[in-house]
Amino acid sequence: MTRVEYTRNYVTQRELARAYERLGHRPTTEAWTATLLIDDVLTMRWVCPVLHPQELSEEYPAGHTWHLIAEAGELDWPPLRPEEEIWPALLERNPPPTGEQAERNARMLGRSVEEMHREQLRQHYLGSAHIVGAKRNQTDVNFDPLVRDWDVTARELAAFLDTHRPPKLTAQQRVMVQGVHLAELEAVVASTKASLARLMRNAAREQGHPLPRGFKRDMAEWGGRSRPTVDAWLAEGGGCEGAVPDEDGTPMAPRH
């Protein structure tokens, strides 16, 4: 299946992702092909993941960015829904105001409360997505799915994927992808080891003073670790309250 990713979680990307998921489109593709990356203005690029530079690797051990392979065009903004669909949903979400203040403001302008309320909703929700066929800045457009038909844009994305094969990755690009995959797996392993160490220290704290004979042997067997590793983890401190006792009852001071 062609992989589709988004540069961030902007409203356009969020709504497109939801609509595309609803569509249930699953285009088949070969292994080792590019990812389609979509940005907040619905511009598309063929990319592959690549690890952050070395200077960032300590802070973000599995962090990656995107290596550009080729530009892939852009999707249209979602069109407005028919107004007969829009207004019942808008008025249900935003009922007209009531009370003396609303009536007074309407009388001052020679209009009804309902007229003023509809005009405010129209200004907020129903701005045109295009000027003479050209794309507008997304800040000028309300992307709420009540008024914009994201299913149309999702179908446009599906049609693009059906008619455009993703580029095959070169040998160098495959190294980039596999490097990110390995870093992600190593980060999971490191996090799992840290969790296992905390659980062992918590188990030792629950046993109290002194630790039962065979406790460390059991920890090594159940955790799949060597006895020296268990000793080191119990001595590290953290993840439990107070010092972890040794099997002879002597508290093991946390190392910093």
Side-chain angles (χ1 to χ4, degrees):
M1 185 177 76
T2 303
R3 184 180 174 194
V4 178
E5 293 287 348
Y6 301 87
T7 57
R8 56 182 192 160
N9 194 32
Y10 187 70
V11 59
T12 50
Q13 297 161 306
R14 190 166 59 248
E15 295 299 343
L16 175 58
R18 288 172 178 167
Y20 186 65
E21 183 65 26
R22 286 195 303 270
L23 191 61
H25 185 247
R26 299 290 185 272
T28 58
T29 188
E30 301 175 18
W32 296 112
T33 53
T35 294
L36 185 67
L37 184 68
I38 303 176
D39 68 14
D40 56 341
V41 294
L42 306 187
T43 298
M44 301 183 294
R45 297 175 178 88
W46 293 114
V47 300
C48 70
V50 60
L51 287 171
H52 281 313
Q54 287 284 51
E55 57 267 22
L56 296 176
S57 61
E58 287 189 12
E59 187 174 1
Y60 306 102
H64 70 271
T65 184
W66 299 103
H67 170 76
L68 177 64
I69 297 173
E71 299 289 341
E74 65 176 27
L75 300 170
D76 288 331
W77 289 146
L80 281 171
R81 296 182 183 277
E83 291 208 16
E84 58 269 24
E85 293 181 16
I86 292 173
W87 283 108
L90 282 184
L91 293 172
E92 181 180 355
R93 179 191 286 181
N94 306 279
T98 58
E100 288 188 15
Q101 184 64 44
E103 294 286 351
R104 186 161 49 250
N105 290 342
R107 282 196 302 270
M108 288 174 59
L109 296 174
R111 306 178 70 183
S112 69
V113 172
E114 289 74 15
E115 287 175 334
M116 290 183 59
H117 183 61
R118 275 181 171 260
E119 182 59 31
Q120 290 171 350
L121 292 178
R122 181 176 293 279
Q123 291 176 1
H124 182 71
Y125 285 102
L126 303 181
S128 174
H130 295 78
I131 297 178
V132 195
K135 223 171 187 183
R136 288 180 66 179
N137 187 309
Q138 72 266 33
T139 58
D140 296 335
V141 181
N142 190 295
F143 292 111
D144 194 301
L146 278 184
V147 297
R148 296 282 167 186
D149 193 346
W150 281 100
D151 292 338
V152 172
T153 307
R155 289 193 294 270
E156 183 186 357
L157 173 58
F160 174 86
L161 293 173
D162 286 340
T163 55
H164 294 76
R165 282 188 179 180
K168 292 282 288 184
L169 298 181
T170 65
Q172 290 179 327
Q173 291 162 355
R174 294 182 188 194
V175 172
M176 297 177 192
V177 172
Q178 200 72 337
V180 171
H181 182 53
L182 178 59
E184 290 172 343
L185 291 176
E186 289 175 337
V188 171
V189 170
S191 175
T192 304
K193 285 182 177 179
S195 174
L196 181 58
R198 288 192 298 271
L199 292 171
M200 287 185 181
R201 290 192 290 270
N202 287 340
R205 178 169 54 84
E206 289 178 357
Q207 294 297 320
H209 298 270
L211 283 175
R213 293 290 178 184
F215 174 83
K216 291 184 179 180
R217 182 197 63 227
D218 289 341
M219 292 295 101
E221 180 180 346
W222 297 338
R225 301 291 95 186
S226 67
R227 176 62 182 271
T229 296
V230 171
D231 288 339
W233 282 357
L234 292 178
E236 284 177 0
C240 62
E241 298 174 4
V244 174
D246 203 348
E247 288 180 345
D248 63 3
T250 305
M252 299 171 63
R255 295 186 309 201
H256 300 288

